[in-house]
Amino acid sequence: VSALQGLHSILEADQRIVRSQVQSLGLSMAVIGVVLALLWRSPRLAGLALVTNLFPIGLALALAGWVDRPLNSVTVMMAAIALGISVDDSVHLLTRWQDERRRGVDVAAALREALRLKGRAIVYTSLVMIALSLLFAGSSFPPLVTFGLLSAAAYLAALLAVLLFLPAALLLFRWLRPPDAP
């Protein structure tokens, strides 16, 4: 009976962690959005970054559901880490893009320069994170395998979102550009 009580306590603690992490995601996104809006002086650019940063998390959690992995503390921990990586990548790219725009460079040229200066570092750090995550996939502990595979998928999705979606949005959506920008 005490073993069952211990297991129940562990499962209950796991569910509390999940609830807490899910609740804090909203607060985290709000704080990140405000900080980015202040950093870039553009709520629209901050909103684009938030959408970009939610994509890897959504994809990884959808993948977890598709392969029938429960939402637990391991799955949620992966989402929190992936959010940090995605935010970091988008901040580097968008800050450089905006610096170029402030110097009067047109949208496409500013994007080329931002990708030239920041793209390689974003790719390399993402590839290192993916490779490290895939090391966990060789574990004999199933939650660690799940963490590794979902993390790798989330980092790959973050890389693609920052290097494909974000530049496409900057080129296509005129509402992201300040009215006086070239």
Side-chain angles (χ1 to χ4, degrees):
V1 171
S2 69
L4 285 177
Q5 288 173 335
L7 181 59
H8 177 72
S9 295
I10 290 170
L11 292 173
E12 191 175 289
D14 187 66
Q15 289 306 307
R16 279 195 304 259
I17 291 169
V18 169
R19 281 192 302 274
S20 174
Q21 288 288 331
V22 169
Q23 289 171 351
S24 69
L25 177 63
L27 178 60
S28 297
M29 293 306 291
V31 169
I32 290 168
V34 168
V35 169
L36 294 180
L38 292 172
L39 171 70
W40 295 322
R41 295 182 187 97
S42 172
R44 295 178 288 190
L45 206 52
L48 175 63
L50 289 178
V51 169
T52 302
N53 296 328
L54 283 175
F55 172 72
I57 296 168
L59 181 93
L61 293 176
L63 181 61
W66 186 60
V67 296
D68 202 27
R69 296 289 183 231
L71 185 63
N72 57 30
S73 58
V74 173
T75 313
V76 174
M77 186 185 332
M78 170 281 310
I81 296 169
L83 176 64
I85 296 299
S86 185
V87 167
D88 183 62
D89 289 349
S90 61
V91 164
H92 283 288
L93 185 70
L94 288 173
T95 299
R96 185 63 207 187
W97 176 79
Q98 195 176 47
D99 288 347
E100 292 298 316
R101 295 287 290 139
R102 285 189 180 127
R103 290 186 326 121
V105 177
D106 72 72
V107 173
L111 187 54
R112 280 192 300 275
E113 185 66 5
L115 287 168
R116 185 184 73 77
L117 292 173
K118 300 298 181 175
R120 185 176 294 149
I122 290 169
V123 169
Y124 288 161
T125 55
S126 296
L127 291 178
V128 167
M129 294 298 292
I130 290 167
L132 289 173
S133 295
L134 289 175
L135 289 176
F136 292 121
S139 173
S140 61
F141 186 54
L144 200 52
V145 172
T146 299
F147 176 80
L149 293 175
L150 291 177
S151 294
Y155 301 147
L156 179 59
L159 176 63
L160 295 174
V162 169
L163 293 183
L164 296 177
F165 172 75
L166 205 48
L170 292 172
L171 290 172
L172 295 174
F173 300 132
R174 296 194 65 75
W175 54 266
L176 287 170
R177 302 176 202 157
D180 59 342

